[in-house]
Amino acid sequence: MDVILRTLFSSEEQERHILDCLSYLMMVMALITFVTSFFEHMPYGRYASSRYGFPVNVKFAWFVQELPAFLVPLSLVLWSSCAKIMHLPNQLLLLMFLCHYMQRSLIYPFLIRGGKSTPFFSFFMAFVFCIYNGYLQARYLCHYADYPSGWVTHPCFIIGSSMWFVGWIINIHSDHILRNLRKPGETGYKIPRGGMFEFVSGANYFGEIMEWAGFALAGHSVHSAAFALFTLVVLSSRGMDHHKWYLTKFEDYPKSRKALIPFVL
């Protein structure tokens, strides 16, 4: 990996500058996605369309598209110079990132029951993003992130890491509820119930947004903040779309249930 990095960048200063630029670019991407969401559904699941390419098996798509966000950081840790990886805040933040994407790429895809195919465009864009973000977050944490002494006892780190953990559990539990909505042999859509679904339609999205907001608070960098912002924009759009769809589809859908933020939105 060091050979590749030395080929791509003439100095560490240049690489650090590129990492910052990639973070700002992600924020711009978030803005573009936000504006686009007013005119077009995200092409996935029930909103998938043949306009976005041929269908890809959903299990294969989730496994392959998410895998780079696990393998790229792991490769950087194992086969590149990591000047900051011995510091505890860097280790814990990287562990948060790896835990999420290990579950997302190596466990979650193989638990999916049924599920609609993913359009190739959505699959390809997710794959590219996971390479991009895997490198961005891991390289910064491994080699450049410099935290003050005692950062792990700072309120920002404690609150942020707690938010990450709670959000991770909510995300995994909500996915479990969605997987078990239908009994064997049943078809069609059902109203999710239990857990955070009692409060919001997009409980799984709420959990993941909380995860990366906590990660950004604990990480205290433009790199983690850019990822949290991008996640917020993409998943809040999905959550709002799901909420509107549920209200249209089911006459008995709970009227007190919000779209994404309990009791608020």
Side-chain angles (χ1 to χ4, degrees):
M1 289 295 287
D2 274 334
V3 174
I4 296 173
L5 293 172
R6 283 196 296 269
T7 302
L8 292 173
F9 309 109
S10 59
S11 65
E12 290 190 351
E13 289 75 15
Q14 184 190 42
E15 184 183 22
R16 175 61 191 269
H17 177 67
I18 293 296
L19 288 172
D20 292 345
C21 290
L22 289 174
S23 300
Y24 293 122
L25 176 61
M26 190 179 290
M27 292 181 178
V28 173
M29 289 163 52
L31 177 61
I32 294 171
T33 303
F34 176 73
V35 174
T36 304
S37 68
F38 287 100
F39 307 100
E40 187 75 23
H41 283 300
M42 297 287 181
Y44 68 97
R46 67 194 63 157
Y47 312 112
S49 167
S50 58
R51 290 189 299 141
Y52 295 99
F54 60 86
V56 180
N57 176 273
V58 65
K59 290 187 177 184
F60 176 84
W62 271 104
F63 170 65
V64 174
Q65 74 189 28
E66 303 292 305
L67 195 58
F70 178 68
L71 292 184
V72 170
L74 199 60
S75 298
L76 287 168
V77 171
L78 294 176
W79 297 306
S80 72
S81 55
C82 298
K84 306 294 184 180
I85 197 59
M86 296 310 295
H87 299 298
L88 184 57
N90 304 59
Q91 292 174 347
L92 293 176
L93 287 162
L94 186 61
L95 184 62
M96 293 177 201
F97 192 84
L98 287 172
C99 279
H100 175 89
Y101 280 104
M102 181 179 69
Q103 196 277 336
R104 233 11 175 196
S105 61
L106 301 179
I107 299 174
Y108 173 77
F110 304 102
L111 297 176
I112 294 173
R113 298 177 181 178
K116 292 185 179 296
S117 297
T118 301
F120 179 78
F121 176 78
S122 299
F123 160 70
F124 178 74
M125 293 304 292
F127 177 76
V128 171
F129 179 81
C130 284
I131 295 174
Y132 177 149
N133 193 48
Y135 163 71
L136 174 63
Q137 305 301 329
R139 185 60 176 164
Y140 175 72
L141 289 171
C142 287
H143 200 63
Y144 296 104
D146 196 8
Y147 295 100
S149 176
W151 179 247
V152 294
T153 61
H154 192 282
C156 285
F157 189 89
I158 294 171
I159 296 170
S161 57
S162 299
M163 285 175 60
W164 177 88
F165 182 73
V166 172
W168 187 52
I169 296 300
I170 290 172
N171 183 244
I172 292 174
H173 182 244
S174 300
D175 284 340
H176 172 76
I177 290 173
L178 291 174
R179 276 195 304 273
N180 291 279
L181 281 178
R182 291 185 290 269
K183 297 177 181 177
E186 287 186 329
T187 58
Y189 290 101
K190 287 190 170 186
I191 299 174
R193 300 189 186 276
M196 285 302 297
F197 281 111
E198 294 300 315
F199 304 97
V200 292
S201 298
N204 49 335
Y205 302 138
F206 170 74
E208 190 162 349
I209 289 169
M210 178 185 283
E211 262 189 86
W212 299 122
F215 179 77
L217 181 60
H220 232 61
S221 70
V222 66
H223 316 83
S224 56
F227 181 33
L229 176 64
F230 188 85
T231 301
L232 172 64
V233 169
V234 172
L235 297 188
S236 60
S237 174
R238 294 184 184 183
M240 296 298 290
D241 286 344
H242 273 27
H243 186 66
K244 293 174 185 176
W245 185 89
Y246 279 128
L247 289 172
T248 304
K249 179 74 173 179
F250 300 101
E251 292 184 0
D252 60 338
Y253 195 73
K255 303 303 179 186
S256 62
R257 190 178 295 185
K258 299 298 183 181
L260 196 66
I261 304 174
F263 313 112
V264 179
L265 178 67

